[in-house]
Amino acid sequence: MGSRIVTFGEVIMRLSPPGNKTMRQSHEMEFFFGGTELNVASSLAVMNCEVRHISNVSDDFVGESAVSFMKSVGIDTSFINKTEHPLGLYFLEVGSSVRASRIAYNRLNGSFANIKTEQVDWEKALEGCEYFHWTGISPGISETAYETLKEGLQTAQKMGIQITTDPAYRSNLWKYGKSGNEILKELVSYSTIFIGGVNEINEILGTQFSSDQEGFIEACTILQQQIPSIHKVFDKIRIGVNASSQQTQGRAWVNDTFFETDLLEVNPVVDRIGTGDAFAAGLIYGLLHFDDEKALKFANAACAIKHTILGDINYCSAEDIMEVMNGNSGGRIKR
């Protein structure tokens, strides 16, 4: 059986000292399974979408636990491969108020970094798929991950699937001698929906557009001229007062029309990790169910509500997100 949404990317374990402790002062760690694309898949599965994730995990009890987690939220794991390489890890100290959060990764020799093109039967994996989602993290991890993703994108394009991309550029990746900007531009050229803003467009095109509304519209226009396959651009704006207080807003450029959402304020912030992924998942859900403007509002509400959830994944239902989208953000107890 096919899945309406397919995601491709690393399954990674997050280790964090509990609360807002630093590692120096803590003797215990909480762990969560995540990964940018897996976070999107998990959120969509929680919202009762049919979603399949494609990845590698370690062939040990850690990888088995990761697969059990994916199954527990409703993700199709039939294209998860088990390998002799360890599962990737990252360590997070959660900041508070004026102290920023800190992250250290251990992923470049992990199971996903060693994925190979022959491990994925893309035509079978994408059978029945309407949306295929990828991010700029995956091709930065290793050359074989880039090659595997490229084959998937070429297959999805031939099959007429909508391809959503969050082409996040991470300079601390890209250790295998390729230019991240060039590869991301190549891979974005297979995609149809761009989830990103001026910063991402500037990275990919080598431009210097400003982040205001005029700069955003100009950047989107040039992006679509250079990469004609992109027909919709959706952007998440996050305004940080400090580590404990955030505002979120969505804006878009579709059919030569600009539109944006109202600002949503989150204070106090419980966990910022995965909020962009919650936006992407909310957008894909919205595009499946609503018009473009309502889809953007839903995505912004999903992003805002994720700030209140501990861990990498947005566990809120579509109904919870709709309430925030419709202005019911007072947090009253539901009885």
Side-chain angles (χ1 to χ4, degrees):
M1 187 183 84
S3 291
R4 293 184 77 186
I5 306 141
V6 174
T7 54
F8 170 83
E10 183 173 28
V11 178
I12 194 168
M13 180 189 280
R14 161 179 154 186
L15 294 161
S16 284
N20 295 99
K21 290 183 179 179
T22 67
M23 285 191 71
R24 282 185 176 183
Q25 69 183 132
S26 182
H27 299 283
E28 57 184 333
M29 305 278 267
E30 297 175 318
F31 77 87
F32 307 88
F33 290 110
T36 300
E37 300 87 354
L38 176 60
N39 296 343
V40 174
S42 298
S43 179
L44 286 162
V46 168
M47 291 190 284
N48 293 321
C49 292
E50 294 173 18
V51 58
R52 167 178 291 155
H53 189 61
I54 301 169
S55 192
N56 277 8
V57 299
S58 53
D59 190 9
D60 55 22
F61 66 89
V62 181
E64 192 56 53
S65 297
V67 172
S68 294
F69 163 74
M70 288 183 268
K71 288 180 176 177
S72 74
V73 294
I75 293 172
D76 177 348
T77 62
S78 54
F79 285 81
I80 301 290
N81 303 298
K82 293 182 178 177
T83 77
E84 70 273 19
H85 301 283
L87 198 75
L89 304 172
Y90 77 98
F91 301 86
L92 168 72
E93 289 182 344
V94 179
S96 180
S97 187
V98 296
R99 177 170 61 87
S101 298
R102 297 198 299 175
I103 290 178
Y105 289 101
N106 184 353
R107 75 196 315 176
L108 294 182
N109 294 300
S111 47
F112 181 77
N114 285 279
I115 198 166
K116 305 286 193 299
T117 53
E118 60 268 21
Q119 290 177 318
V120 185
D121 182 341
W122 280 108
E123 287 197 2
K124 193 173 179 184
L126 294 170
E127 186 181 350
C129 172
E130 294 178 46
Y131 282 84
F132 176 44
H133 181 71
W134 68 278
T135 81
I137 305 294
S138 295
I141 291 174
S142 71
E143 189 160 12
T144 56
Y146 152 63
E147 290 165 351
T148 307
L149 172 60
K150 182 178 176 180
E151 193 171 289
L153 290 170
Q154 289 172 331
T155 306
Q157 187 185 56
K158 283 179 198 165
M159 294 171 73
I161 294 166
Q162 293 284 357
I163 301 172
T164 57
T165 177
D166 173 3
Y169 176 74
R170 297 287 185 271
S171 58
N172 62 338
L173 298 174
W174 303 99
K175 305 290 188 190
Y176 58 91
K178 299 270 191 184
S179 163
N181 313 75
E182 288 178 18
I183 285 181
L184 288 175
K185 185 175 181 181
E186 175 199 13
L187 297 181
V188 168
S189 71
Y190 294 104
S191 307
T192 59
I193 297 169
F194 191 94
I195 306 173
V198 173
N199 289 344
E200 290 75 19
I201 293 170
N202 283 342
E203 288 285 0
I204 291 169
L205 301 184
T207 48
Q208 292 184 319
F209 292 107
S210 62
S211 293
D212 57 17
Q213 181 177 323
E214 185 180 347
F216 173 71
I217 292 170
E218 288 175 356
C220 292
T221 303
I222 295 297
L223 176 71
Q224 290 178 306
Q225 285 174 3
Q226 293 200 23
I227 307 178
S229 64
I230 298 293
H231 60 269
K232 297 179 182 182
V233 181
F234 296 94
D235 184 25
K236 170 192 91 275
I237 303 169
R238 184 165 44 207
I239 303 161
V241 179
N242 57 42
S244 302
S245 180
Q246 300 282 320
Q247 293 177 319
T248 69
Q249 185 179 29
R251 60 183 177 179
W253 181 250
V254 179
N255 297 326
D256 296 331
T257 303
F258 174 85
F259 51 92
E260 63 185 355
T261 71
D262 294 333
L263 276 169
L264 289 173
E265 186 167 346
V266 187
N267 188 0
V269 170
V270 173
D271 199 330
R272 269 189 58 178
I273 301 295
T275 53
D277 306 327
F279 180 91
L283 181 67
I284 294 167
Y285 181 93
L287 292 171
L288 282 165
H289 293 88
F290 313 128
D291 63 32
D292 292 331
E293 288 198 48
K294 190 172 179 181
L296 181 66
K297 289 179 182 176
F298 187 86
N300 188 47
C303 176
I305 205 170
K306 168 60 190 77
H307 285 78
T308 71
I309 305 288
L310 182 64
D312 289 36
I313 287 151
N314 187 6
Y315 283 100
C316 291
S317 67
E319 290 73 25
D320 292 334
I321 297 166
M322 288 284 285
E323 287 213 2
V324 172
M325 184 185 83
N326 291 329
N328 300 326
S329 55
R332 291 177 62 88
I333 295 173
K334 295 180 182 177
R335 299 187 188 275

